[in-house]
Amino acid sequence: MKFEAATIKDIAKALGLSTSTVSRALRDSHEISEATKKKIRDYAAEINYRPNPVALSLKEKRTLSIGVVVSEIANTFSAR
């Protein structure tokens, strides 16, 4: 059995809304009514929706990750 995470598209399809409306509601936009936001948030919590961190990093153009380059771990001089 393969687990697939819930997406904004899944929420939009289930509630009969557009993906942009769901995205705006989850980001608490002033353009969406409070009733619609509540309906979307309740359904998102029900299906255990979590934003995809990889997709967010692509959108925001930053990852909040740190990379470390190690030349040679086997060399005892540089490994200490």
Side-chain angles (χ1 to χ4, degrees), residues 1 3 5-6 9-11 21-22 32 45 53 55 57 66:
M1 184 170 153
F3 171 75
K9 288 182 182 181
D10 296 334
I11 297 171
T21 300
V22 173
I32 309 299
S57 68
I66 298 173

Side-chain angles (χ1 to χ4, degrees), residues 45-70:
E46 180 183 321
I47 64 169
N48 199 24
Y49 168 77
R50 297 286 179 257
N52 184 336
V54 175
L56 287 174
S57 68
L58 287 171
K59 179 184 167 282
E60 295 174 0
K61 298 180 182 174
R62 61 187 179 113
T63 63
L64 301 177
S65 298
I66 298 173
V68 178
V69 177
V70 179

Side-chain angles (χ1 to χ4, degrees), residues 5-41:
T7 65
I8 288 177
K9 288 182 182 181
D10 296 334
I11 297 171
K13 185 175 181 181
L15 298 177
L17 301 168
S18 70
T19 55
S20 61
T21 300
V22 173
S23 176
R24 287 182 183 130
L26 292 173
R27 288 185 288 122
D28 200 25
S29 173
H30 68 280
E31 299 171 323
I32 309 299
S33 71
E34 289 301 322
T36 304
K37 285 182 198 178
K38 181 171 176 15
K39 182 169 85 169
I40 291 170
R41 286 188 192 131

